[in-house]
Amino acid sequence: QVQLVESGGGSAQAGGSLRLSCAASGSIRKYCMGWVKGRSGNERGGVAAVGSDGSTSYADSVKGRFTISQDSAKNIVYLQMDSLKPEDTAMYYCAAVVGYPCTWYLLRSLSSAGGGYWGPGTQVNVSS
């Protein structure tokens, strides 16, 4: 059981950068961690995931621009967002699920179904 709180969202211009942080109240070592973004209704779009073994997974839309990382000792997950585009605008949620393999798709699927744990989200707005 873990509580997640995101930070680092805000406004940026296209081509700019933001770094999102997800602070967990407990150990994240047992979880597949990552980020999803809000869509219509309760649907969520997968962004990136990082496994306890350090493996990473990215949605095609962010591959090459975003980098996910984690500090297990500090129980923090990061999302470095570079080369931002207006279509990146969304509410970003940190998520923790139990499952394997740890991919962005697994994270999206379980989170959209109400599984795992979510943070309250942090808004990212990217202007042209």
Side-chain angles (χ1 to χ4, degrees):
Q1 191 167 341
V2 63
Q3 292 182 323
L4 308 172
V5 180
E6 304 93 338
S7 63
S11 298
Q13 292 186 317
S17 298
L18 289 171
R19 190 180 78 158
L20 307 185
S21 297
C22 171
S25 63
S27 176
I28 61 174
R29 291 191 295 269
K30 68 174 293 185
Y31 297 104
C32 171
M33 303 293 300
W35 298 85
V36 298
K37 61 182 181 180
R39 292 180 176 177
S40 60
N42 292 323
E43 296 296 322
R44 299 288 182 267
V47 177
V50 58
S52 59
D53 61 355
S55 63
T56 57
S57 173
Y58 299 94
D60 288 342
S61 62
V62 306
K63 190 174 298 183
R65 299 188 298 118
F66 293 5
T67 303
I68 188 170
S69 61
Q70 64 180 346
D71 187 333
S72 296
K74 296 181 179 180
N75 296 319
I76 300 175
V77 178
Y78 302 98
L79 184 68
Q80 179 66 42
M81 310 167 73
D82 296 322
S83 301
L84 285 164
K85 301 177 180 179
E87 51 262 44
D88 294 322
T89 295
M91 181 73 78
Y92 284 76
Y93 300 90
C94 181
V97 301
V98 176
Y100 185 86
C102 184
T103 64
W104 68 265
Y105 183 78
L106 175 75
L107 199 71
R108 184 211 66 80
S109 297
L110 296 181
S111 296
S112 294
Y117 303 94
W118 299 356
T122 185
Q123 181 68 39
V124 171
N125 293 303
V126 184
S127 60
S128 299

